[in-house]
Amino acid sequence: MLQATVKLCCGIAHDHLRRLPGLKLSAVAAIQRDVRGLVLRGSHHLPSEIPSYIQRLVGKDAARCAEPGGDSSTCRFSSTDLSYIHQGERALQRALSILQHPPSWQAEAVLDAGAAVSSAVLPGLGRVFRVEAVLAAPVGWLHRELFEELEQMPRWNPTLSRVEVLQRPGEDTLVTHEVTSASPVGRRDFVSVRHRRQTQAAVYLVGTAVRLERLPAQEGCVRAETRLSCIALQPLAGDPGCTRVTWLLSVDLKGWIPTAVTDRVLPRCQADFIGHLRRHLSASARP
């Protein structure tokens, strides 16, 4: 019975995907593997979930291509674009799994009364740090600052010297290049896929490392890798003008940095980021 269900759902996925111009067989196969995973994990309401899953994966513009009368001239996705979207969605699913099934978090000693930092060691990610804070700003404002206005971040976050959006594979997915400022552990640069999901309950902003051969590490920098980053923005119960922020972070800083040093630096960086964001919020609220 399970094998028949898998075949049925993958067939439905193929029927939807073949109508999207620009999709290559490799991308279709990757999406069908994820559909197979949904079934094997026991996802309910299949096969009715398949069209909505595909829409989340490739974006609203691509989903419109599958509609009768859709304008295919504006709906071309390369296999590279789809691989970025797919990678972002996979990072999101991994983050949601951690948020929905939390491990045993251990508190970290961070001297910041406005941010609680904890960590846990997870398979495939190593040590993941979690920072929790409440900010006096609505979800929409934070969403705009942390995703839509990403390139402006160095103006208020002094730990970054440059952030550049290299590609926009879809309306919910970005490929970015970030360069840090000088620090005790040296300068790092990151190339990442960033992806967002908006629901009624929260906005999720995820990131994970991606390789770009045409963009080697910058001079004077070590190319670090974000294994997983996820910022969850939730309206505070009873006060929609405030937001509960939960940030998961697992990073490989590369270079000759002992693990003990990394484990002290990353939670401190997260707490500092929350502090910079608070100050930016205060400055933006001034008349």
Side-chain angles (χ1 to χ4, degrees), residues 6-7 14 27 54 72 104 112 155 167 202 209 228 231 260 265 272:
V6 171
K7 289 182 178 179
H14 182 80
I54 295 170
S72 63
S104 297
D112 189 331
R155 293 186 177 183
Q167 293 178 234
L228 179 66
I231 299 178
V265 168
D272 288 346

Side-chain angles (χ1 to χ4, degrees), residues 56-87:
R56 289 201 310 270
L57 187 63
V58 302
K60 297 176 183 176
D61 290 337
R64 280 196 293 268
C65 296
E67 299 175 356
D71 182 5
S72 63
S73 65
T74 61
C75 301
R76 299 287 180 179
F77 281 79
S78 69
S79 59
T80 301
D81 288 342
L82 284 170
S83 71
Y84 292 144
I85 296 169
H86 181 250
Q87 190 172 354

Side-chain angles (χ1 to χ4, degrees), residues 12-29:
I12 293 171
H14 182 80
D15 183 59
H16 281 271
L17 291 168
R18 68 183 178 80
R19 288 179 289 169
L20 300 184
L23 267 70
K24 296 186 178 179
L25 290 177
S26 59
V28 172

Side-chain angles (χ1 to χ4, degrees), residues 11 47 103 128 132 138-139 176 191 196 216 237 247 249 257 262 287:
V128 178
E132 297 177 294
V139 168
T176 64
V191 179
R196 67 179 169 186
W247 181 16
L249 181 66
I257 302 179
T262 299

Side-chain angles (χ1 to χ4, degrees), residues 1-49:
M1 180 65 182
L2 180 60
Q3 184 177 9
T5 303
V6 171
K7 289 182 178 179
L8 172 63
C9 292
C10 287
I12 293 171
H14 182 80
D15 183 59
H16 281 271
L17 291 168
R18 68 183 178 80
R19 288 179 289 169
L20 300 184
L23 267 70
K24 296 186 178 179
L25 290 177
S26 59
V28 172
I31 295 172
Q32 286 182 322
R33 283 196 300 271
D34 274 9
V35 170
R36 187 179 295 111
L38 285 175
V39 179
L40 295 177
R41 288 196 299 271
S43 186
H44 300 296
H45 308 303
L46 289 168
S48 61
E49 284 187 358

Side-chain angles (χ1 to χ4, degrees), residues 111-287:
L111 300 177
D112 189 331
V117 184
S118 54
S119 69
V121 177
L122 301 180
L125 289 173
R127 188 165 295 278
V128 178
F129 295 93
R130 180 188 67 174
V131 63
E132 297 177 294
V134 173
L135 298 179
V139 168
W141 186 89
L142 292 169
H143 175 197
R144 182 177 65 253
E145 295 295 318
L146 299 178
F147 191 88
E148 296 173 1
E149 302 293 335
L150 192 68
E151 290 181 311
Q152 306 305 315
M153 195 177 289
R155 293 186 177 183
W156 55 266
N157 182 359
T159 65
L160 292 171
S161 65
R162 186 172 76 254
V163 177
E164 180 183 2
V165 175
L166 302 176
Q167 293 178 234
R168 297 180 183 271
E171 64 180 34
D172 295 321
T173 307
L174 307 172
V175 178
T176 64
H177 180 222
E178 308 101 51
V179 181
T180 69
S181 303
S183 73
V185 296
R187 299 182 68 200
R188 296 292 189 274
D189 76 332
F190 299 81
V191 179
S192 307
V193 169
R194 294 176 179 265
H195 188 68
R196 67 179 169 186
R197 166 84 63 81
Q198 302 177 69
T199 70
Q200 290 184 341
V203 172
Y204 301 96
L205 309 175
V206 298
T208 189
V210 66
R211 297 185 183 277
L212 283 185
E213 297 296 334
R214 62 183 178 84
L215 188 65
Q218 304 297 287
E219 184 176 356
C221 291
V222 174
R223 173 63 49 82
E225 293 184 354
T226 300
R227 298 188 189 102
L228 179 66
S229 173
C230 175
I231 299 178
L233 307 173
Q234 298 172 290
L236 189 65
D239 188 354
C242 292
T243 300
R244 182 177 300 281
V245 179
T246 303
W247 181 16
L248 305 178
L249 181 66
S250 176
V251 172
D252 185 352
L253 291 176
K254 302 294 185 180
W256 299 97
I257 302 179
T259 301
V261 174
T262 299
D263 290 349
R264 290 197 304 269
V265 168
L266 290 180
R268 181 71 262 176
C269 289
Q270 285 181 288
D272 288 346
F273 176 83
I274 294 297
H276 297 316
L277 189 52
R278 287 187 194 277
R279 285 186 285 275
H280 176 49
L281 171 61
S282 297
S284 300
R286 292 172 189 164

